[in-house]
Amino acid sequence: SISAQVCRGYRWGIQLKALGITPPGSVLVYSIFGTYAVNLVLPRLGEVWRSGYIAQRQRAPFTTVFGSMVAACRIPWRCS
């Protein structure tokens, strides 16, 4: 559902904030939906795109953003 994806975006924002990266909530939510769009064309590339999108928008290191996304998938929550 849409609300689940919004929560997923904000949850990722909490992790990024701990790293000193503070994107607006709308950017986080757009990145979640963009991930799904990219995955429709090239499966699993959406996660790389999402990290690149946030890194570019926030002028943050790609490796830091990507690492936070990988860490989010390693915690016991479902990462789809």
Side-chain angles (χ1 to χ4, degrees):
S1 73
I2 292 175
S3 61
Q5 304 315 315
V6 170
C7 289
R8 185 175 176 204
Y10 282 104
R11 185 178 70 218
W12 191 38
I14 292 168
Q15 289 180 303
L16 289 173
K17 187 175 181 181
L19 298 171
I21 303 168
T22 55
S26 60
V27 171
L28 291 167
V29 173
Y30 294 151
S31 74
I32 297 296
F33 287 111
T35 297
Y36 286 111
V38 173
N39 279 340
L40 286 173
V41 178
L42 296 167
R44 304 312 280 173
L45 189 63
E47 286 77 12
V48 175
W49 176 86
R50 175 171 43 145
S51 299
Y53 177 72
I54 295 295
Q56 181 182 26
R57 291 286 306 247
Q58 297 305 120
R59 293 186 174 94
F62 173 81
T63 54
T64 302
V65 178
F66 187 74
S68 71
M69 192 264 317
V70 170
C73 290
R74 291 238 178 247
I75 56 179
W77 291 321
R78 181 181 151 185
C79 181
S80 48

